[in-house]
Amino acid sequence: MNIVVCLKQVPDTETLIKIAPDGKSIVQDDIKWVMNPYDEFGVEEALKLKGKFGGEVTVVGLGPRRVTESIRTALAMGADKGILISDDALENSDSLATAKALAAAIKDLEYDLIFTGQRGVDDDMGVVGASLAEFLDIPQFSLIVKVEAAEDGKSIKAHRPVEGQVLIIESSLPALVTAQKGLNEPRYASLPGIMKAKKKPLEEKTLADLGLDPAEFGEGGRKVKILELTPPPERVEGKIVEGETPQDKAVELARLLHEEAKIF
Amino acid sequence: MAQGVWTIAEQRDGEIRKITYEVASEGRRLADALGQDLTVVLLGADIKDKATELGHYGADKVLVADDPRLGTYTTDAYVGIVSQLVKADDPAILLIGASTQGKDLSARLSASLGVGMAQDCTVLSVEDGNLVATRPIYAGKAYARVTFEDSWPQMATTRPNVMSITEPDTSRSAEVVDASFSLDDSSLKTKVVDAVKDESGKVDLTEADKIVSGGRGMKGPENYKILEDLADLIGATVGASRSAVDAGWRPHSDQVGQTGKVVSPNLYVACGISGAIQHLAGMSTSKVIVAINKDEEAPIFQKADFGVVADLFDVVPALTEEVKKYL
Ligand SMILES: Cc1cc2nc3c(=O)[nH]c(=O)nc-3n(C[C@H](O)[C@H](O)[C@H](O)COP(=O)(O)OP(=O)(O)OC[C@H]3O[C@@H](n4cnc5c(N)ncnc54)[C@H](O)[C@@H]3O)c2cc1C
Ligand SMILES: Nc1ncnc2c1ncn2[C@@H]1O[C@H](COP(=O)(O)O)[C@@H](O)[C@H]1O
């Protein structure tokens, strides 16, 4: 089973986000860039399936050169090869353009299954996976917590929790799965894994290599325009609930929730 | 020229879901701002009788796609039909609720129509005839205000629980129209083979009006009983921090935060949760936040409207007893 995993590099979740002076982007100094946590689930699931069915796992990332590091991490976990789509003209591309470029790089690969994360923990869009599936004209399963592959490796059943129930959805392959928390526990890269990763193939592609027109990408190609970024609205200062004993505090809290917050 | 505001209704097992009214109400407000009509699109099986009530929430027209194959949501069927309808009618704005279904539908639909989309928005408005959307990014560590360029319909999804539902007006009625569409069986590539219902009857965290969450301070899975007692009483859903999930005390689906569920309830009670940046990111748009923690330095207090510095094992059971007096 040949599997493609899309990998987005995002600021570490510890990062405090600061708005840049242009009011439209974030301050990038001091950011520690990591693999999107949901893509770690994708890599792990791909490796598990490879363990069962054989085949190759290819990691595809799009972004600046620094994305190579995260691709190497995936290779160190056990993926076989990497593709970095990197081009100055891609900077500030929106989800649709990103998916288009990923589709162009993936369409000529041999694949049975594609994993993306359910959302990037940066822009919180969760659009690239489904858009990629649309452009490749393959079915998608989104927000998946369990993948059961048929013995012949030709179809899968995916478990998709929706509010109040879990849907079990079936489709033949190729298909695309967006990974949700709960899918698995991603492995860590081992030391031998890290050594091996250095020798694994990592190919770099530009828009020209993919036969794409730069005008459709980057800031100019955006269909969603950023007007401004702002810090989150300040919450009004809260109060510390007074009382001698925990019991008194509970009484006071209940009163506040009733009288001031009108919760019940 | 694209005209009109469209919203997509969401039904399950033939029942309209609450998010439908949130989106329709917001759609009505935008339609009024534009001076245009609101159309609600309703897809389902034997669903036409549900169309009337959508008029009460502001729909001028309800476009009904009724087909046995639309009873259960599938990406293939819904995206196929909505994109046909949109292409035929050319609406200016298309709104969908950011439920699990809506996120799936909107993401693929935007690619199928080749239009931009703003996911999980908390504020929408119309400026100079264009949709302007505000959406939390970095799980709420910043907000982005966005608009659309050369992209019709202008598409957005709205975060559950955020858009207020207008008081239904039973004297209003909508024109109910049968949608004309084609649906080819060969286009249906995925099949829902089973639906395992959560029998607890608990509202999902993302849609819950109230949440009582427990973190590492709960000390063990058995102690969540005190949170469940409070939650049952006030109609809340129990959530957890990642530490509690990683410890195996609670299922993954209960995790609130940047890598869990992003929630916006009316009331969020954090018990024994320190307030790590990833946790705060997932719950700081809650309307009223209560923190119960014995460490007065805990960062969660900076976000809390009401902070209780005390042992949660004393406060929570006492709170449950007190609340009973008000119910
Ligand atoms: C990539 C990444 C993603 C992450 N995503 C998430 C996420 O989505 N959601 C999330 O929650 N975390 C997430 N985390 C983890 C996060 O950094 C914290 O580790 C976690 O939120 C801490 O959980 P906690 O508050 O329950 O535990 P702790 O930080 O250990 O806090 C426990 C609190 O309980 C209090 N306490 C203890 N006993 C009592 C008592 N008897 N009465 C009252 N108070 C008591 C303590 O004073 C303390 O403040 C993520 C981390 C990483 C690295
Ligand atoms: N620049 C990118 N390069 C590779 N994969 C991406 C990129 N952007 C998004 N993805 C994939 O799509 C998922 C969802 O991202 P998003 O739609 O941006 O929230 C990510 O978890 C990745 O798997």
Side-chain angles (χ1 to χ4, degrees):
Chain A
M1 190 180 282
N2 293 314
I3 305 175
V4 172
V5 184
C6 294
L7 182 158
K8 185 180 202 180
Q9 204 180 42
V10 298
D12 181 24
T13 57
E14 291 283 343
T15 311
L16 288 169
I17 298 298
K18 285 187 243 116
I19 317 282
D22 71 356
K24 292 187 179 183
S25 58
I26 63 163
V27 177
Q28 304 227 349
D29 320 341
D30 304 330
I31 286 183
K32 185 176 154 210
W33 295 93
V34 299
M35 185 188 321
N36 184 32
Y38 292 106
D39 295 339
E40 292 181 12
F41 302 135
V43 174
E44 177 61 37
E45 202 62 18
L47 294 175
K48 275 191 172 156
L49 289 166
K50 179 192 159 169
K52 187 157 174 209
F53 293 98
E56 275 198 333
V57 175
T58 307
V59 179
V60 183
L62 178 155
R65 213 38 59 72
R66 59 170 154 73
V67 177
T68 313
E69 257 174 73
S70 297
I71 297 177
R72 289 270 176 223
T73 305
L75 296 177
M77 287 168 76
D80 298 290
K81 53 185 190 192
I83 298 174
L84 171 69
I85 309 169
S86 201
D87 195 312
D88 291 344
L90 281 166
E91 199 185 338
N92 292 334
S93 292
D94 64 13
S95 320
L96 218 51
T98 301
K100 227 179 257 170
L102 288 170
I106 294 170
K107 73 175 193 324
D108 296 327
L109 303 177
E110 267 181 44
Y111 62 87
D112 301 292
L113 202 50
I114 300 175
F115 284 97
T116 71
Q118 63 106 338
R119 70 167 193 263
V121 301
D122 51 355
D123 60 7
D124 288 337
M125 280 294 278
V127 172
V128 168
S131 302
L132 176 58
E134 172 70 21
F135 295 144
L136 293 171
D137 195 22
I138 58 174
Q140 86 205 37
F141 299 89
S142 50
L143 291 146
I144 298 306
V145 297
K146 188 171 174 186
V147 173
E148 293 174 288
E151 285 303 323
D152 64 1
K154 295 219 154 52
S155 66
I156 58 164
K157 277 187 190 153
H159 293 227
R160 166 168 155 81
V162 301
E163 301 81 2
Q165 54 183 321
V166 179
L167 302 177
I168 296 152
I169 313 176
E170 190 176 37
S171 147
S172 59
L173 299 180
L176 181 142
V177 168
T178 83
Q180 167 68 318
K181 165 116 190 167
L183 185 59
N184 53 44
E185 287 300 329
R187 68 192 67 185
Y188 289 100
S190 65
L191 201 56
I194 295 170
M195 299 313 291
K196 269 195 220 152
K198 293 187 177 145
K199 299 201 195 74
K200 289 182 178 172
L202 203 166
E203 210 183 333
E204 210 177 297
K205 297 205 161 164
T206 61
L207 286 175
D209 295 336
L210 298 173
L212 297 170
D213 175 6
E216 289 179 33
F217 299 86
E219 192 63 43
R222 288 187 71 95
K223 294 191 184 278
V224 179
K225 292 272 168 192
I226 296 173
L227 295 171
E228 62 168 346
L229 301 189
T230 53
E234 285 291 319
R235 292 190 71 90
V236 286
E237 176 123 25
K239 54 173 87 170
I240 293 295
V241 176
E242 304 292 337
E244 284 289 315
T245 64
Q247 172 72 30
D248 295 344
K249 291 175 183 174
V251 171
E252 176 62 1
L253 175 60
R255 188 191 68 77
L256 288 166
L257 290 176
H258 174 68
E259 287 177 13
E260 277 190 23
K262 310 220 180 312
I263 295 289
F264 37 75
Chain B
M1 185 43 202
Q3 271 282 328
V5 176
W6 277 29
T7 70
I8 310 288
E10 182 170 329
Q11 57 85 19
R12 184 172 311 154
D13 301 329
E15 294 303 320
I16 303 285
R17 304 195 75 239
K18 175 171 163 258
I19 187 118
T20 303
Y21 307 123
E22 296 174 14
V23 186
S25 301
E26 188 64 16
R28 179 72 259 164
R29 290 187 278 271
L30 297 179
D32 288 341
L34 281 169
Q36 297 179 4
D37 280 354
L38 172 68
T39 299
V40 178
V41 184
L42 175 61
L43 301 91
D46 267 329
I47 197 73
K48 207 168 167 184
D49 59 320
K50 300 283 180 195
T52 341
E53 66 175 296
L54 294 168
H56 305 163
Y57 292 88
D60 297 300
K61 182 165 136 187
V62 182
L63 197 51
V64 186
D66 210 314
D67 187 290
R69 292 166 294 178
L70 299 177
T72 305
Y73 171 82
T74 61
T75 316
D76 304 332
Y78 275 53
V79 170
I81 290 173
V82 177
S83 83
Q84 284 171 44
L85 300 179
V86 165
K87 281 179 190 154
D89 251 46
D90 196 20
I93 292 179
L94 176 61
L95 302 185
I96 300 177
S99 58
T100 46
Q101 172 179 317
K103 281 182 175 159
D104 183 81
L105 170 64
S106 60
R108 183 127 185 178
L109 187 61
S110 73
S112 147
L113 294 169
V115 304
M117 200 256 296
Q119 183 82 280
D120 215 15
C121 302
T122 51
V123 181
L124 297 176
S125 63
V126 170
E127 288 175 24
D128 299 329
N130 284 308
L131 179 63
V132 173
T134 300
R135 47 186 308 272
I137 53 174
Y138 300 93
K141 292 177 200 166
Y143 278 59
R145 243 162 50 88
V146 301
T147 189
F148 302 84
E149 194 120 315
D150 291 336
S151 178
W152 305 93
Q154 303 186 331
M155 234 182 118
T157 66
T158 63
R159 178 172 290 187
N161 262 340
V162 173
M163 301 303 167
S164 62
I165 299 179
T166 42
E167 199 55 45
D169 174 357
T170 49
S171 69
R172 267 188 118 269
S173 66
E175 178 196 359
V176 179
V177 179
D178 283 314
S180 74
F181 60 88
S182 67
L183 182 59
D184 185 353
D185 276 326
S186 69
S187 71
L188 307 179
K189 296 179 188 156
T190 56
K191 205 167 106 201
V192 178
V193 289
D194 205 1
V196 184
K197 292 224 164 65
D198 170 10
E199 300 297 346
S200 74
K202 282 273 156 46
V203 181
D204 191 78
L205 282 171
T206 53
E207 296 186 330
D209 178 56
K210 302 184 186 75
I211 294 173
V212 179
S213 265
R216 207 199 304 270
M218 295 306 296
K219 304 215 160 54
E222 63 286 357
N223 297 326
Y224 277 77
K225 174 85 172 62
I226 60 171
L227 301 190
E228 266 146 20
D229 288 345
L230 175 61
D232 285 346
L233 187 67
I234 62 175
T237 299
V238 174
S241 71
R242 170 164 162 184
S243 295
V245 169
D246 284 354
W249 301 347
R250 305 296 291 179
H252 286 295
S253 52
D254 281 9
Q255 183 179 318
V256 171
Q258 192 167 4
T259 55
K261 289 188 172 147
V262 178
V263 299
S264 301
N266 260 319
L267 175 69
Y268 189 88
V269 186
C271 306
I273 292 177
S274 60
I277 187 165
Q278 298 95 343
H279 190 82
L280 296 179
M283 43 64 79
S284 54
T285 54
S286 305
K287 278 161 212 113
V288 175
I289 297 174
V290 174
I292 304 173
N293 195 306
K294 62 182 181 188
D295 173 12
E296 63 178 336
E297 302 288 326
I300 188 79
F301 287 121
Q302 286 159 24
K303 294 281 173 191
D305 299 285
F306 303 111
V308 182
V309 183
D311 192 316
L312 73 92
F313 293 102
D314 296 326
V315 176
V316 175
L319 179 63
T320 306
E321 284 310 307
E322 275 310 303
V323 168
K324 284 181 185 160
K325 297 180 186 161
Y326 293 105
L327 297 175

